[in-house]
């Protein structure tokens, strides 16, 4: 059985994360806490050998990937546009409150990329990587919402918030689909699989 193993890592913290502002496709850089989180992730990720490291082109993910790659003695293979965060349109930059609520529609926000489209884009990018790297280990640095909705679709269950710079380990087989082994750094109980 040919399994491709993925570490799916959300970027480190940004100032907008700390301020609880909706970030989306807005290119906000890591803050010092986020850089520290990326350095800390190296300890867990060094337990595995990685064949490729890829990331979203947004700076917060690209810098997280670079810090991790440096810590592992590797380099980032490439930046993949399809791994960019879900666009939230005019809701980006807003805090929870009346202004954000005024933009809310079923399934998201007015002018935003739909959850379904983001999941299809993210899962498509991951499955293309599985084709490119069969039976290999690929470290992917991307974004919380994109990874969450992609995993939701992949395993057929609803996952909640993905933490910054922690291990989510998933395996993909072309005919048997996806299996999530670790979520937010914790082993997933087999009965909870979709």
């Amino acid at each position: 059985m040919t399994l491709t193993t993925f570490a799916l890592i959300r970027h480190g913290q940004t100032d907008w994360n700390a301020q609880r502002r909706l970030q989306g496709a807005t290119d906000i850089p890591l803050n010092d806490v986020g850089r520290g989180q990326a350095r800390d992730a190296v300890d867990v990720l060094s337990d595995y050998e990685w064949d490729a490291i890829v990331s979203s082109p947004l700076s917060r993910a690209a810098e997280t990937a670079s810090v991790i790659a440096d810590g592992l003695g590797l380099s980032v293979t490439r930046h993949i546009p399809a791994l960019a965060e879900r666009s939230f349109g005019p809701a980006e930059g807003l805090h929870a409150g009346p202004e954000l609520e005024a933009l809310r529609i079923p399934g998201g926000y007015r002018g935003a990329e739909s959850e379904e489209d983001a999941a299809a884009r993210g899962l498509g990018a991951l499955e293309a990587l599985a084709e490119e790297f069969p039976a290999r280990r690929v470290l992917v640095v991307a974004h919380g919402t994109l990874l969450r909705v992609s995993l939701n679709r992949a395993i057929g269950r609803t996952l909640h918030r993905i933490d910054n710079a922690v291990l989510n380990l998933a395996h993909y087989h072309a005919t048997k689909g996806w299996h999530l082994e670790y979520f937010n750094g914790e082993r997933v109980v087999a009965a909870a699989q979709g």
Side-chain angles (χ1 to χ4, degrees):
M1 183 163 80
T2 305
L3 283 178
T4 301
T5 296
F6 289 93
L8 303 172
I9 308 293
R10 179 185 178 196
H11 60 80
Q13 186 188 78
T14 69
D15 286 345
W16 278 23
N17 290 147
Q19 296 163 4
R20 303 189 56 79
R21 293 171 68 182
L22 195 56
Q23 207 158 223
T26 303
D27 199 2
I28 305 301
L30 290 181
N31 61 23
D32 288 339
V33 170
R35 290 181 190 94
Q37 289 170 330
R39 286 189 296 273
D40 291 346
V42 171
D43 291 337
V44 172
L45 295 167
S46 65
D47 290 344
Y48 304 88
E49 289 186 24
W50 300 103
D51 298 300
I53 300 176
V54 300
S55 85
S56 155
L58 295 177
S59 64
R60 59 192 181 267
E63 185 177 357
T64 300
S66 180
V67 169
I68 289 170
D70 288 348
L72 295 173
L74 301 170
S75 60
V76 176
T77 307
R78 70 179 175 278
H79 301 104
I80 300 173
L83 293 174
E85 180 61 294
R86 176 184 177 190
S87 170
F88 290 105
E92 292 184 13
L94 299 178
H95 297 92
E99 191 177 1
L100 184 59
E101 285 307 308
L103 294 171
R104 191 176 295 280
I105 59 173
Y109 300 97
R110 193 171 62 255
E113 179 181 19
S114 75
E115 185 172 299
E116 295 78 23
D117 287 349
R121 175 170 56 84
L123 201 52
L126 294 175
E127 291 178 0
L129 286 166
E131 280 186 35
E132 183 179 350
F133 296 101
R136 310 289 289 278
R137 292 180 176 272
V138 182
L139 198 159
V140 176
V141 181
H143 305 273
T145 298
L146 183 80
L147 291 174
R148 181 181 54 76
V149 300
S150 298
L151 283 171
N152 285 350
R153 177 174 282 190
I155 67 170
R157 66 180 268 236
T158 301
L159 300 169
H160 299 289
R161 178 185 161 80
I162 292 182
D163 295 335
N164 293 101
V166 298
L167 179 64
N168 301 287
L169 192 70
H171 309 280
Y172 177 75
H173 183 271
T175 57
K176 295 187 180 200
W178 287 88
H179 170 75
L180 184 61
E181 184 178 355
Y182 282 88
F183 180 68
N184 281 339
E186 300 290 329
R187 186 174 289 279
V188 175
V189 178
Q193 292 293 312

